[in-house]
Structures are given as structure tokens and as C-alpha cells.
Amino acid sequence: MRKTFLGVLGAALLPMGAAAQMERVAVDDSAFALGTLNADQGALPETLWQGADRDEVETLLMAVPDTFSEPLYRELLRRVLLSPGAGPERADNALAGQKFLKVARAGYYRDAASLAGIVSGSGQDPALSQVVAYKELLDGEVDQACARGEALREGRSDPFWITLRYVCYAHAGEDAAADLTLGLLRRQGTLTTEQIERLAAFAGGESLGVPPGTPSVFDWTIMQLRGVRPDASFLMRAGPAITAAAARSDFVPDSVRERALLMALAGNMIGAEEAVRLVDGMEASGLANSLVILTSLPPQSLEQAEELGRALAAGGTDYEERLARARLYSRWLGVVAPVDNYAPYAAEIALAAMMVDQDRVAERWILALAADATSGQGRAVAERLVQVYAERDPNAARRIASYLEMEISVESPTPFLAIAREPELPVASLVARALETADAEGQALPALIYLAGTNTRAEGEGDIRATVLDWSRQHADLSWLDRYASFRAEAEAFLAGDRGGAGRPPEGSRTPSLKPRQ
């Protein structure tokens, strides 16, 4: 049996005290005010919903997409919807459930369910119960989800609850009840013909494969109940919530699960400590082997630094995979140390430290790289890394530059904008939302308008769209997003070979892709 690295690490390296637990914060008595983020995790000010109108919040939550092809927009959605803050007047459980379900579908379903589940009486509230049931289905807790739906007394006609009852009846072999429920779904007309046929095939015991197109939470549930294992192509079609669930599931083959875990890490849907525990449960995993080696080597040894560098460099030139690995190995970034005048993989370690905001670690390795007597390019690469870092953390970059006695120029980043490939909303709807929320004082509504705006069609009115997006950017204070985007662009150029005259990326590096349909 493979020796797990958690046993090697011991309690000292993986504390599970208060700092590692999810923070649940409420600043008023409503469910809507709950959040899991603190300032260090990117939480917006607690006044983020100040001046917001309840009906306008509901409209915007419907307008904002569940998924984004641009990772930074998913991060913005996370910050808005998981920040604690007093909600608008009349913010009831229905609005809170809509807010939690939106962020759950974006991949943060356990955070959302943890908040919905602590609300008094949530078990009888259809909106909050749906958030928890959604999590239970994703995590393979089908019996719990069925019991939750059965206990519900209100809201049972919602398509989600009817579909859940059908799956539960079919799974339990209650054919007559399943047939009646499927007939109700047909009459409602909320599911496509293909979805109805797949549900019928599940109850009929027919052979089922991996579903085509974008899978729903019920597709995922049926796959687990029927033992239909996903392949790598499934991940590229799945939304972020199912991707995160696949990373957590023992049912998924290790090769696919490892890929899902890297995607979830890059999207901030799974944290480093949980990721380490998940990797520990994988038998056929290159990540697991690397972590076993890392933990078995003497701390601060040259060998340990080289192994960490190789593990990071295995991400190749893909920024998202590098980010995922930086988060996975974040504990070891602070453990390894360079030796005098020799710093192999120093650039990989320094760049990873920048990605996870470990500025002192980045500083240590950049200075070691500049002093590396074995590399004729060390000084040039070190200076290039300082310029890259200036896009993300200008103050840290200036400090490092002063040690290297070099000058750097720090300019305001270019405003970042990425319109959806197939935008769905007309510009007129965006203008209406902006006019309705012009008096809002908090950052949340402008941020949601911005996110909805990235999903609008110009329709010959590109100037109007640009004006609304500029307004929402300023009022939502998205300077951090612009800076992250600028840093990513510089880091991608560095990974592609722009290393201050150092030539191509490390020998043997590959260029995978973590670009799902999200």
C-alpha cells in the first residue's frame, strides 16, 4: 500500500484549528447577510449592499450568468456573494436562497450550503433547502437529499423538487410514483425532450453513458447511482460545481479526479488543505507521489527545493495550472530555502509565491536567483520577475527592487474586460439595471451590473455598453481585478519565454490546459 504523505506530515504541518475552519459571519439577523469570507480572503466591505433595492437584487441575480469563461469574473462573483454584509430591506429567505444557489452553481456549493444550513428553520424553507440539497446531490449524499425533499411542505411544485422526487422514486424502485412524477414534469415543460428521455431511461434500467452537452446536477447524480464514470472530456463540458464535486468524489477515476482538482484549485473552489487531503486519497496520482517525496525530504534541503521546483514546473506554460499548483504546494513554499550561490528552480518558486501572495517567500527566491553564481542569466531573470510582481503587488516589488538596486516603473493597470463569447442579454436591459441602481452606495450592485454587462450583446450600441461598464467598474472598485489581470498577462509572457533574456521555459515543461466550459 502506498504510504500517505499525511502520515508523514503529522499534526504540526496540517493544523485544523479555528484558522482552518470556515468562517461564518452575520452582520444582521437575516440569512442574506451571512458570508464565509474575511478581508484577507477578498471580502468586500460590510456595506456592500447599502442602498440596494430588494427587487433589483433579485433581477440582477437572475441576469448574472451561473458560469464564466473568464476565471476573474467567477472570483468577483465569489467575493460579492460570499462577503458578509447587511442586505437590502425586505431581504427574505427566498432572496438569500437565490443568492446562495447562484454562488453554489459557480462552484462554491459547500460554502453556500454551510450558510443556508445554519439558518433557523431552513429545513422547511424551499429556497434554503434547495441549496443544501444541491450540495448533497453533488457530494453523492442522495438519500439525505431525498429525505430533505420528502420533509418539505411548501414549494414542492418547483421543478427542482419534482425532478428530485422522480430520481428518488426511481432509485427506490417505486415505479408507479416515478411514472406519475415524470408525467408531471412533462406537463410542466421545464425540461428538454432529451432530459426527459434520460430520466425515463434511468427509471427503466436502460444502459446509460456519459451525458452529452452540459450535465445538470441530476445527470451527475444519475451517473453516480449507475456507476457511469466521467472521462476527461466530461470535465471540459461540466460546470464548475460538478468539477469541484468530481475532485471530491472517490467514484471518479484518479486521472480525471486529479485534473478536476487542479481546475477546482485554480478556481478557488477548493482550498489547499482540503486539496492535500483529497490527493492523499488518490492511488494513481502524480500529485500524490510528488507530495510524498516532498514530505520525506529534509526540510530546507536543496533536494526538497528541487522537488518543489519540479512539481511547480510540471504545470508548463499554462497560467491556470501553475496557479493551481502554487495553491496546492503553498505550505511548502514557506518551508523550502535556497542555498548560497545556487538556486535551481528559483524562478518557479518565486512566481508561485507571487500567485499566492507570499511576498517574503517571493523576495527570498528572487534575491537567491540574482545571486546564483551558476547561472549567467540569474540577475536578468530576477529583474524580470520583479517587473512581473509589480503588476500584482507594487509595494513588495519596490522593496525587492531596492535590494537589487534596480529601478522599476509601476503604472496603473489597463482596465480589463472580457465579453462572453455568446452574450445573451440585450444592452437595453443593462441600461435599465444601471438606472435603477444609480443611487446604491455599496459595491455589490455595480459589481453585479458589471458581471451582467459582460454577458450583453452590443447590437450596434457598443458605446452605451462601454459607458455602463465603465460606470459599474468605478463604483464597484474593480482595481484589484485589473491588477490581477495585468499580473496574469505578465506571468503568462514570462512562462512563455520572456524571462529577461533567459530564453525558453524550463526543459521538459509541457503546456496543458485547464480551460473548461465555465
Side-chain angles (χ1 to χ4, degrees), residues 434-509:
L435 291 173
E436 291 291 338
T437 61
D439 294 332
E441 301 172 34
Q443 297 179 15
L445 287 191
L448 292 179
I449 289 175
Y450 179 84
L451 289 172
T454 66
N455 190 38
T456 54
R457 301 184 297 272
E459 298 175 330
E461 299 178 283
D463 290 343
I464 295 176
R465 180 175 67 182
T467 299
V468 175
L469 288 172
D470 287 344
W471 171 87
S472 60
R473 171 194 298 281
Q474 294 172 14
H475 286 75
D477 189 14
L478 299 186
S479 56
W480 67 268
L481 188 148
D482 296 336
R483 193 159 290 288
Y484 274 43
S486 183
F487 168 77
R488 181 178 63 186
E490 287 297 308
E492 287 174 337
F494 181 85
L495 291 171
D498 182 4
R499 297 194 167 205
R504 294 177 296 178
E507 192 69 28
S509 66

Side-chain angles (χ1 to χ4, degrees), residues 54-128:
R54 184 240 184 259
D55 295 338
E56 202 54 44
V57 172
E58 181 179 26
T59 300
L60 276 169
L61 286 174
M62 289 188 291
V64 170
D66 290 335
T67 61
F68 295 91
S69 58
E70 172 50 60
L72 287 174
Y73 291 162
R74 189 169 57 245
E75 173 63 17
L76 175 57
L77 185 69
R78 181 184 79 98
R79 294 188 182 199
V80 173
L81 300 186
L82 288 180
S83 292
E89 292 185 13
R90 302 183 295 112
D92 53 9
N93 284 351
L95 188 65
Q98 185 183 2
K99 168 188 167 184
F100 295 154
L101 190 58
K102 175 68 68 174
V103 77
R105 288 171 173 161
Y108 312 101
Y109 66 89
R110 285 194 173 179
D111 288 9
S114 74
L115 297 176
I118 64 174
V119 177
S120 177
S122 62
Q124 284 301 315
D125 186 278
L128 297 177

Side-chain angles (χ1 to χ4, degrees), residues 60-336:
L60 276 169
L61 286 174
M62 289 188 291
V64 170
D66 290 335
T67 61
F68 295 91
S69 58
E70 172 50 60
L72 287 174
Y73 291 162
R74 189 169 57 245
E75 173 63 17
L76 175 57
L77 185 69
R78 181 184 79 98
R79 294 188 182 199
V80 173
L81 300 186
L82 288 180
S83 292
E89 292 185 13
R90 302 183 295 112
D92 53 9
N93 284 351
L95 188 65
Q98 185 183 2
K99 168 188 167 184
F100 295 154
L101 190 58
K102 175 68 68 174
V103 77
R105 288 171 173 161
Y108 312 101
Y109 66 89
R110 285 194 173 179
D111 288 9
S114 74
L115 297 176
I118 64 174
V119 177
S120 177
S122 62
Q124 284 301 315
D125 186 278
L128 297 177
S129 288
Q130 181 174 345
V131 178
V132 181
Y134 185 78
K135 176 264 179 194
E136 291 168 338
L137 292 174
L138 287 170
D139 283 346
E141 301 165 349
V142 181
D143 291 342
Q144 291 92 318
C146 290
R148 187 173 303 280
E150 185 63 28
L152 204 63
R153 293 295 171 262
E154 297 180 0
R156 291 170 61 87
S157 61
D158 184 276
F160 174 86
W161 295 114
I162 298 176
T163 308
L164 175 60
R165 287 202 298 277
Y166 173 81
V167 171
C168 296
Y169 288 144
H171 179 49
E174 299 181 26
D175 296 340
D179 288 344
L180 288 172
T181 308
L182 188 61
L184 180 57
L185 283 171
R186 284 195 175 99
R187 288 192 295 275
Q188 274 196 338
T190 55
L191 300 183
T192 66
T193 301
E194 291 75 15
Q195 289 172 324
I196 291 290
E197 290 176 350
R198 188 167 179 82
L199 289 173
F202 169 64
E206 299 176 26
S207 177
L208 291 171
V210 176
T214 303
S216 70
V217 66
F218 293 108
D219 287 323
W220 173 247
T221 300
I222 289 171
M223 287 175 65
Q224 294 180 86
L225 293 175
R226 279 294 188 86
V228 180
R229 297 182 181 274
D231 54 20
S233 65
F234 172 84
L235 290 182
M236 306 312 290
R237 294 182 281 107
I242 291 179
T243 297
R248 293 178 168 122
S249 176
D250 294 335
F251 154 79
V252 176
D254 281 350
S255 60
V256 179
R257 191 180 177 195
E258 181 177 291
R259 177 57 35 181
L261 179 61
L262 288 170
M263 293 166 69
L265 275 165
N268 227 356
M269 295 177 278
I270 289 179
E273 291 188 357
E274 182 187 359
V276 168
R277 294 194 300 273
L278 292 173
V279 171
D280 186 48
M282 300 181 194
E283 292 292 333
S285 166
L287 296 176
N289 291 336
S290 180
L291 287 175
V292 168
I293 295 172
L294 269 175
T295 53
S296 65
L297 292 170
Q300 299 188 337
S301 65
L302 173 62
E303 292 79 10
Q304 189 183 52
E306 289 180 318
E307 178 60 30
L308 176 60
R310 282 190 289 269
L312 295 168
T317 59
D318 185 85
Y319 178 87
E320 295 298 315
E321 172 138 358
R322 285 291 189 120
L323 175 60
R325 289 172 178 268
R327 287 174 173 160
L328 177 64
Y329 298 114
S330 58
R331 286 186 173 274
W332 284 268
L333 292 172
V335 172
V336 298

